[in-house]
Amino acid sequence: MRGSRTALSTQYRDVTFRSLAESESALRALDERASDMIYRFRFLPEPGFDYVSGAVFAITGWTAEDFYSDTALMFEMLHPEDRRSAATMMRSPTDENHRLRLRLRHRDGHWVWTEHYTVPVVDEHGVLVAAEVIARDISDQVRIEDELRESERTANAVLESIPGPTAVLDAAGVISMVNAAWDEYMLASGAAAGRYAVGTDYLAACDEAARAGVEGSAEVAAGVRAVLAGTHDGYQLAYPASGRNEDRWFAMDVSPMRTEAGGAVVLHSDITERKRYEEQLRHQALHDSLTGLPNRALLNDRLEGALGRARRDGNEVAVLLLDVDGFKVVNDAYGHAVGDELLVALAGRLRTLVRPGDTVARLGGDEFVVLCEALGDPAEVAVVAKRMVTGLAVPLHQGDGSELSITVSIGVAVGRGETRGHGLLHDADAAMYHAKENGRNRFELFDARLAGRAHARLTIEETLERAIVNGEFRVFYQPIIEIDSGVCVGMEALLRWEHPERGLLAPEEFLSMAEETGLIVPIGAWVLQESCRQRRRWQQSHPALGSLPISVNVATQQMQRPDFAHEVAQAIDAAGISPREIVLELTERSLMDATVVPTALELHGIGVRLAVDDFGIGYSSLTYLKTLPVDQVKIDQSFVNGLGRDAVDGAIVTAVITMTRALGIVAIAEGVETEQQRDELVVLGCGHAQGFLYAHPAPPEEIELLLERPVGDPASARSSAVLVRQVSPAPSSAAS
């Protein structure tokens, strides 16, 4: 340590952490080398830690079990004076990173000073769902600051204890003190050590370096001047090292001295590991984790760039969208591991079939996109497409030595600079579906005829959006009947669209488009809310009807939303009804989706009952009936239609009824239209049914007229009227 002048020194480090992807695997892989504390805390659907790095345990003394079992631990660890500011930082809805010093209570009782950088994580609706934080132990830094303020006599020793290259400047910018690491760093970086020695003018040295063409020197000089002048409370700069440390990154922090004399502290910190984190996370954010190909985000960026260059150069841009033919069959027959291996092999082969400079990306699932730019001749893209169809049809070798033969369907769309990127992808998608319709294992070019079909699809989508805004949807209701007594014991809510030009439309005319565009989510939310409100209205005006549970169909996309159970609870609470008065009908495919299972369990936990709709035509797996909280099974109409005529249908219905009875699950036959079907169901022991034999779906006011009749004997109920029996709230057992 050299230098006769003394001053207070404040050490800061720029450790700004920008979360680029939720990649726990990347963090864990780097965890052993990192000294920084990293954690992710989620707020929705329930508070808790998603990830806590090993450095957190090493610095705080608490264990992984402590953090993951006690969601309040981080709050309890905070010093009481820091809790309010920490809560504000964690829940900020902005996209800005926040830096804050916090005191954490070590497990043995002493306080650890830490500096936290946090960035909020929001979902596609802008709702704050989590916070990602990187922090480090700055106890030594705080101790240094305190000691320097308390006694200038110890300044030299304290400064020397700082591991990073550090210099203290006086108010004029002259270097008054440096530590040993400062000279070592200057020598290793190739800078003239004498230029930045004690007693030299740091600002003048920076100006000289700027004139010599040293990158960043002018910015450094401007930042230091602003700090010394008091117009800036700190300056940070991250830069790649030069000289003997060319493979490393450093951060420079300039902080004002909190003394009457003024001045500043210049500190250099090695941030190489943090930069490696950022690079790996950036790669994760822009590349597919399975194949390593660019993902949708990077493809969109490159596509817009290609279209911009096409506007300038007058060339054309082509998008080729590939879909593997029959990929689901491969997954079902060989398992997802083989399916993933196939996708990786296909990605590798695709790279060999495209032109140099073309982009190969994976959109997700079994869909890939090839972006070709600088096309002088539009016919050139047809050559590329044909080469891919032929090249990918060659059997792919698997890791176990076996071979899998696949084919692909490709849609090709060509555009110029005025084309929009999403429009080009939309056109390629339409052409790809046309290739599948024409026999697969081929490519199709998007043309005016397909443009008309695509326009029709887009028109339907826009009309659906307008229908949501204009309130054109209606909910009809169909009674669920207890077969033996003939009385109504429930209602199913059924969606209808009151189209301003085409009249009343059934779901099969628009539901698939709603699911494909994602509009099924807001439409389904409205159906649930309206059904809950109707249940409440009937409670108040028609007590008999108000005692009946209402079944509501739920799409897979709704169940896949992490906050769906909360949305259901809100709809029920807003209507002022009980959760046991609502039954949610799910498809077999929904329940086979692993992401849906936690939501199903959460719904069951709040008291909502679950039913499996159209049972028997989906995956036909019975495992979930045993493992999931299913209360009802609705036998699909296709099996009910054959009762009395088709022995196979009768055997299937018998098996379902026997199985559900053994599991304590209510079986409901759908689509009962004839007395023969009803009588067959009675013989088979099915207790409940719905269908045209009893009542057609109708709006609430017609249902009220249909069911507001005195309760008669079962015989008259079967032959003429549907009767209502008041139903008490069902118990929580599956047999209710």
Side-chain angles (χ1 to χ4, degrees), residues 579-622:
R580 299 300 295 173
E581 296 164 353
I582 293 296
V583 180
L584 297 184
E585 295 192 7
L586 318 174
T587 64
E588 289 182 85
R589 183 168 186 173
S590 288
L591 289 176
M592 292 299 293
D593 188 328
T595 64
V596 165
V597 174
T599 302
L601 294 172
E602 189 175 357
L603 287 167
H604 181 72
I606 65 176
V608 175
R609 287 182 286 173
L610 303 178
V612 183
D613 195 16
D614 300 331
F615 185 78
I617 64 171
Y619 283 86
S620 299
S621 173
L622 307 180

Side-chain angles (χ1 to χ4, degrees), residues 474-548:
R474 300 287 180 267
V475 178
F476 280 30
Y477 298 89
Q478 186 176 38
I480 298 173
I481 307 301
E482 184 179 71
I483 298 177
D484 285 342
S485 63
V487 299
C488 178
V489 293
M491 292 283 181
E492 180 179 0
L494 298 167
L495 180 63
R496 297 292 185 269
W497 181 5
E498 210 169 72
H499 195 283
E501 298 174 358
R502 300 173 58 193
L504 196 65
L505 303 181
E508 54 266 22
E509 298 185 67
F510 61 87
L511 209 56
S512 61
M513 178 58 68
E515 292 176 343
E516 184 178 331
T517 59
L519 293 174
I520 191 63
V521 172
I523 293 173
W526 177 82
V527 172
L528 174 64
Q529 294 163 7
E530 176 59 21
S531 299
C532 291
R533 288 190 292 263
Q534 184 60 54
R535 180 66 166 76
R536 180 60 175 172
R537 286 192 288 265
W538 275 335
Q539 280 182 346
Q540 295 172 337
S541 61
H542 297 77
L545 288 172
S547 69
L548 302 175

Side-chain angles (χ1 to χ4, degrees), residues 111-243:
W111 295 101
V112 180
W113 275 96
T114 56
E115 193 165 46
H116 294 243
Y117 291 77
T118 184
V119 61
V121 179
V122 298
D123 64 14
E124 66 270 24
H125 304 292
V127 176
L128 181 68
V129 297
E132 295 179 341
V133 183
I134 183 170
R136 63 173 47 184
D137 184 354
I138 60 167
S139 299
D140 290 341
Q141 177 180 330
V142 173
R143 175 180 57 80
I144 292 168
E145 294 171 355
D146 292 340
E147 290 179 359
L148 286 176
R149 279 192 292 267
E150 293 171 1
S151 174
E152 292 188 3
R153 291 193 305 270
T154 62
N156 288 348
V158 171
L159 186 62
E160 197 61 53
S161 69
I162 301 175
T166 306
V168 179
L169 312 181
D170 64 16
V174 175
I175 300 176
S176 60
M177 291 185 294
V178 298
N179 63 2
W182 177 269
D183 282 344
E184 294 174 5
Y185 168 74
M186 290 301 171
L187 185 62
S189 66
R195 184 186 301 167
Y196 296 98
V198 173
T200 61
D201 188 329
Y202 183 79
L203 292 172
C206 289
D207 291 338
E208 182 182 345
R211 288 191 294 272
V214 178
E215 186 176 355
S217 297
E219 290 80 2
V220 170
V224 173
R225 285 190 171 94
V227 172
L228 291 174
T231 60
H232 203 292
D233 197 35
Y235 172 78
Q236 297 87 34
L237 175 69
Y239 59 93
S242 58

Side-chain angles (χ1 to χ4, degrees), residues 70-90:
D70 184 4
T71 58
L73 176 60
M74 181 60 78
F75 180 80
E76 294 170 357
M77 287 172 58
L78 287 170
H79 193 283
E81 296 176 3
D82 298 341
R83 290 174 179 174
R84 181 183 296 273
S85 55
T88 301
M89 175 188 74
M90 290 282 283

Side-chain angles (χ1 to χ4, degrees), residues 230-436:
T231 60
H232 203 292
D233 197 35
Y235 172 78
Q236 297 87 34
L237 175 69
Y239 59 93
S242 58
R244 296 199 302 265
N245 289 319
E246 290 183 356
D247 61 339
R248 306 198 68 78
W249 276 79
F250 285 87
M252 186 185 75
D253 276 279
V254 182
S255 304
M257 297 288 291
R258 309 300 184 183
T259 64
E260 292 184 4
V265 175
V266 179
L267 168 68
H268 295 263
S269 305
D270 190 326
I271 59 169
T272 305
E273 289 304 317
R274 178 164 66 83
K275 294 299 292 185
R276 288 174 182 168
Y277 289 151
E278 293 177 355
E279 288 302 318
Q280 292 207 22
L281 290 173
R282 182 177 293 110
H283 185 273
Q284 291 287 339
L286 298 175
H287 292 79
D288 173 53
S289 60
L290 176 65
T291 64
L293 295 176
N295 62 12
R296 185 185 294 271
L298 184 53
L299 171 68
N300 288 337
D301 183 69
R302 292 186 179 179
L303 179 54
E304 292 302 328
L307 290 170
R309 289 185 289 274
R311 281 192 293 272
R312 181 191 64 206
D313 302 334
N315 291 324
E316 292 188 309
V317 175
V319 166
L320 297 84
L321 195 150
L322 297 79
D323 185 89
V324 180
D325 298 328
F327 182 70
K328 182 180 180 302
V329 176
V330 175
N331 265 342
D332 291 345
Y334 300 99
H336 289 283
V338 172
D340 288 347
E341 188 177 346
L342 173 64
L343 294 175
V344 171
L346 186 146
R349 182 171 292 179
L350 263 178
R351 291 189 183 100
T352 68
L353 297 173
V354 300
R355 308 174 311 162
D358 290 344
T359 293
V360 180
R362 183 187 178 207
L363 292 186
D366 59 333
E367 283 192 336
F368 295 82
V369 168
V370 175
L371 168 62
C372 302
E373 59 177 308
L375 291 172
D377 181 1
E380 187 178 355
V381 72
V383 176
V384 176
K386 185 175 182 180
R387 183 165 64 242
M388 287 192 291
V389 169
T390 304
L392 294 176
V394 177
L396 292 166
H397 297 280
Q398 302 301 294
D400 60 359
S402 62
E403 292 183 343
L404 277 178
S405 296
I406 62 165
T407 60
V408 296
S409 297
I410 304 177
V412 182
V414 180
R416 292 186 175 271
E418 67 276 6
T419 308
R420 298 295 299 272
H422 65 83
L424 206 56
L425 285 169
H426 189 276
D427 293 347
D429 185 65
M432 184 272 291
Y433 276 107
H434 189 56
K436 284 189 175 294

Side-chain angles (χ1 to χ4, degrees), residues 639-713:
F639 302 121
V640 175
N641 282 341
L643 289 179
R645 297 180 291 102
D646 190 312
V648 174
D649 285 346
I652 292 174
V653 173
T654 301
V656 173
I657 294 171
T658 302
M659 175 189 61
T660 54
R661 184 184 296 117
L663 295 174
I665 298 173
V666 174
I668 302 172
E670 294 184 295
V672 180
E673 298 181 355
T674 67
E675 292 184 2
Q676 180 185 13
Q677 292 169 353
R678 179 200 62 201
D679 294 340
E680 288 289 335
L681 289 169
V682 170
V683 172
L684 296 176
C686 183
H688 298 79
Q690 67 181 104
F692 293 169
L693 175 65
Y694 301 100
H696 287 254
E701 57 273 14
E702 293 184 22
I703 289 292
E704 294 166 10
L705 294 174
L706 173 68
L707 300 181
E708 279 190 335
R709 300 175 182 175
V711 177
D713 61 78

